[in-house]
Amino acid sequence: MFRNTELKIITNIEQLQKLCEHLETQEFIGVDLEGDSLHHYKEKICLIQISDLDRDYIIDPIKIKDLSPFLRLMANADVQKVMHGADYDVVSLKRDYGAEINNLFDTMIAAQFLGYPRFGLVHLIDRHFHVKIDKAYQTHDWSRRPLWGEHLDYARGDTHYLLALREILLWKMQDGELLDAFEEECLWQTKREWRG
């Protein structure tokens, strides 16, 4: 499913700093989060997944208390963040870390603008890449450790295809002259705030 794409697990501030320095040089990155909202009253972000064109990364915010390199990356308008259904992730980052998110490309919004009948990430990956994603861990308690191989595979599946999906959707939107309205909607998405 991931071919020979390398997966790197980031569990300390030194690794995170090095990763974010690398990601600051990228034009776009895929980003997703996992939380524990179904299992804890005061929910929190438990996993951060990122993909670039060469690798998948999983950041463990339970082990890393200082996420400032990642937060700078999210605020950097020179790096486009490709996310799917980013509304909840945006408000969660603001709630937990006071994050600022700039330059968002939301693949769910793009699919909606293009009139796709089904715009869940699983459906888009199946439609464009003929890959079936197993959502068995969608309701997993992501605060639990250790993370097993199947947990990591599930988590990286949420960002692994985002950059290729961005290319397809961007091409289709340019063809349909929808890009300005889409960009405005993505900008609005970054302004969402946590309401409790």
Side-chain angles (χ1 to χ4, degrees), residues 135-147:
K135 298 305 278 184
Y137 289 99
Q138 193 164 18
T139 59
H140 179 68
D141 182 354
W142 291 100
S143 68
R144 296 178 63 188
R145 298 295 183 269
L147 295 169

Side-chain angles (χ1 to χ4, degrees), residues 29-182:
I29 58 173
V31 181
D32 189 51
L33 311 174
E34 303 296 341
D36 60 1
S37 62
L38 295 177
H39 302 274
H40 298 275
Y41 172 66
K42 188 169 182 353
E43 62 192 272
K44 63 187 175 300
I45 296 169
C46 300
L47 216 60
I48 301 167
Q49 306 97 275
I50 298 180
S51 293
D52 62 19
L53 291 172
D54 300 312
R55 293 179 192 85
D56 299 322
Y57 309 90
I58 293 180
I59 300 168
D60 190 341
I62 292 177
K63 292 185 177 179
I64 306 171
K65 299 307 178 195
D66 178 7
L67 290 180
S68 55
F70 170 72
L71 299 176
R72 282 192 298 273
L73 174 67
M74 294 303 288
N76 185 344
D78 293 331
V79 181
Q80 187 170 68
K81 292 79 185 175
V82 183
M83 304 173 80
H84 185 84
D87 53 345
Y88 191 72
D89 290 349
V90 166
V91 298
S92 294
L93 285 167
K94 290 182 178 185
R95 176 198 66 213
D96 290 1
Y97 303 109
E100 177 184 350
I101 296 92
N102 289 308
N103 196 356
L104 172 67
F105 186 108
D106 191 319
T107 55
M108 187 171 87
I109 293 173
Q112 290 171 324
F113 267 70
L114 289 165
Y116 280 41
R118 302 175 85 183
F119 40 80
L121 184 59
V122 169
H123 304 297
L124 297 181
I125 291 171
D126 184 29
R127 175 177 176 154
H128 291 293
F129 309 112
H130 308 292
V131 173
K132 303 283 187 200
I133 300 291
D134 182 3
K135 298 305 278 184
Y137 289 99
Q138 193 164 18
T139 59
H140 179 68
D141 182 354
W142 291 100
S143 68
R144 296 178 63 188
R145 298 295 183 269
L147 295 169
W148 302 338
E150 54 265 35
H151 299 141
L152 299 175
D153 283 346
Y154 171 89
R156 74 190 292 203
D158 282 346
T159 57
H160 181 80
Y161 295 94
L162 283 179
L163 301 185
L165 188 56
R166 171 194 175 273
E167 290 299 307
I168 293 167
L169 298 173
L170 182 59
W171 178 79
K172 286 177 174 283
M173 280 191 296
Q174 286 175 334
D175 189 50
E177 299 179 0
L178 298 172
L179 200 52
D180 287 345
F182 165 75

